[in-house]
Structure formats: structure tokens, C-alpha cells
Amino acid sequence: EVQLVQSGAEVKKPGESLTISCKTAGYDFYIYWVGWVRQLPGRGPEWMGVIYPRDSDTIYNPSFQGQVTISFDRSTGTAYLQWSSLRASDSAMYYCARQLNGYNYVPYFDSWGQGTLVTVSS
Amino acid sequence: DIQMTQSPSSVSASVGDSVTITCRTTHNVNGYLNWYLQKPGKAPKLLIYAASILQSGVPSRFSGSGSGTHFTLTISSLRPEDFATYYCQQTYSSPRTFGPGTTIDIK
């Protein structure tokens, strides 16, 4: 069974650093992209970026480029999303998801983590 | 970036009703269009990918169609578990944007 299990909720202050994780299981993680999605309260999902674990090739949404770092640890099959200096506007739910390429190579997220709630407040 | 719109933004319906949601994109996405369902407090769940292909395990009352910049998701006979928010997503170009969502609630 494909599983993506995310780390728990975080409460941080502005300016602090943070790394949240997404542990993959039940599939060959080398060959599937893993992505991160932000969802602000009451809003639609926002695609942040994806990483290819085999070679760590990463594609960022320009809106998030430079604001976060996406990485993957092949020794543990875990994806990470990292902030060096949080802002209150980073408060949101964050999801990781596995990307498949289906018919006509159309990419889609078929399996999702349960989400990690990040709260940034002074 | 390709922008997405969905209509309606919300709809009230009853069990057994048929509901159609529309998703429009600002550029041709060549069928690279996916649909997700999300319930409160839960992660999105894939329903349809490549505009019309039903994800494994998704009931056949869900169907998708469309091409170019105009796509639809139809639920043919609403069941209680279908009351949720639905999002379209284009994966033709980066960034792979999601629509703003359509909420189906109980009339």
C-alpha cells in the first residue's frame, strides 16, 4: 500500500526555521516525483514544487522559489520542505503527494500525505 | 501562469441529483486536466486525470470531459459522501495551478 506519512503540526515564531517531512512507503520512491502543496485556510491548493528522488531534480513554483527548499533523503525515502525564516503568511496546511504520469504522460497526484499544519505567530 | 476558474463556486443539491462543475483555463492545456475532491480536514483525493480517465476505485457516477480550455466534471447521482469541495488542476505547464474550488452542499 502506498503511504506518505507527514510530520506533526508545528507552532513557530516569525523568523524561526522549520523543516517538515513526508515519509514514503509501499512503492519504489526512486522513480516517482514527490510534490508539496500549500493550502491556506478556506482557499484552494497551491502547487509549490516537485522533486525527483533519483537525481534530486527539483521544479519550483516561481511564487515559492527562494522562500522554501524541497529536498529528498534517498537513504530513508523521506521528502522535506524547509524554511529558513518563517513569516506569519506561511501559516497554512502543507501536503506532500506522489506524482504519477498517466495517459499521454499527464501528471497527477494520486496519493497524498495527511497534511502538516504550520502556524507562525508571535 | 495558467489561471483557472471554476463555476459555480458553490451549489446546493440533494441526494440523487446530477451536478456539473465547469473548469476553464486561460490557455489550452491539451487535456492535462485533473479533478480532486476534498472533504474538510482531509487531503485532496484524485477523481479523474487527463480530463476523462477515472482513477482506480472512483465510482462510475463521476465523469469528466472537455478539451482545450473548457472542462466539466459531472456527478450523475449524488450520494451523501459526495458533499465536498471539488478542485480542478492543470498539469500542462509549470506552475501546475489548481482552480479555486466548487463546494457542493446539501440543499
Side-chain angles (χ1 to χ4, degrees), chain B residues 14-97:
Chain B
S14 301
V15 172
D17 286 351
S18 176
V19 173
T20 296
I21 298 168
T22 296
C23 175
R24 294 183 186 271
T25 60
T26 53
H27 299 76
N28 183 351
V29 298
N30 283 297
Y32 283 52
L33 194 288
N34 309 318
W35 289 97
Y36 300 87
L37 167 160
Q38 187 176 34
K39 296 183 180 178
K42 299 294 187 182
K45 173 189 172 184
L46 177 71
L47 297 173
I48 286 169
Y49 64 93
S52 62
I53 300 177
L54 204 64
Q55 168 69 347
S56 175
V58 174
S60 59
R61 64 181 180 274
F62 292 92
S63 63
S65 65
S67 62
T69 63
H70 183 207
F71 300 87
T72 60
L73 172 71
T74 297
I75 311 169
S76 62
S77 180
L78 276 171
R79 292 179 61 94
E81 59 266 34
D82 301 336
F83 292 96
T85 301
Y86 294 79
Y87 297 100
C88 55
Q89 181 206 20
Q90 67 81 20
T91 55
Y92 181 66
S93 72
S94 184
R96 294 170 178 170
T97 38

Side-chain angles (χ1 to χ4, degrees), chain A residues 37 39 43-47 50 59-63 95 99 102-110 112-115, chain B residues 1 30-34 36 38 41-46 49-50 53 55 87 89 91 94-100:
Chain A
V37 173
Q39 191 165 30
R43 303 293 297 273
E46 298 171 272
W47 185 87
V50 289
I59 304 171
Y60 288 95
N61 180 334
S63 296
Y95 295 101
Q99 178 180 296
Y103 175 77
N104 275 353
Y105 303 101
V106 174
Y108 56 91
F109 288 140
D110 76 316
W112 294 67
Q114 82 277 20
Chain B
D1 298 4
N30 283 297
Y32 283 52
L33 194 288
N34 309 318
Y36 300 87
Q38 187 176 34
K42 299 294 187 182
K45 173 189 172 184
L46 177 71
Y49 64 93
I53 300 177
Q55 168 69 347
Y87 297 100
Q89 181 206 20
T91 55
S94 184
R96 294 170 178 170
T97 38
F98 288 85

Side-chain angles (χ1 to χ4, degrees), chain A residues 23-44:
Chain A
K23 177 77 166 72
T24 67
Y27 71 97
D28 183 357
F29 60 75
Y30 280 96
I31 62 172
Y32 297 100
W33 293 76
V34 173
W36 287 94
V37 173
R38 182 177 81 172
Q39 191 165 30
L40 298 170
R43 303 293 297 273

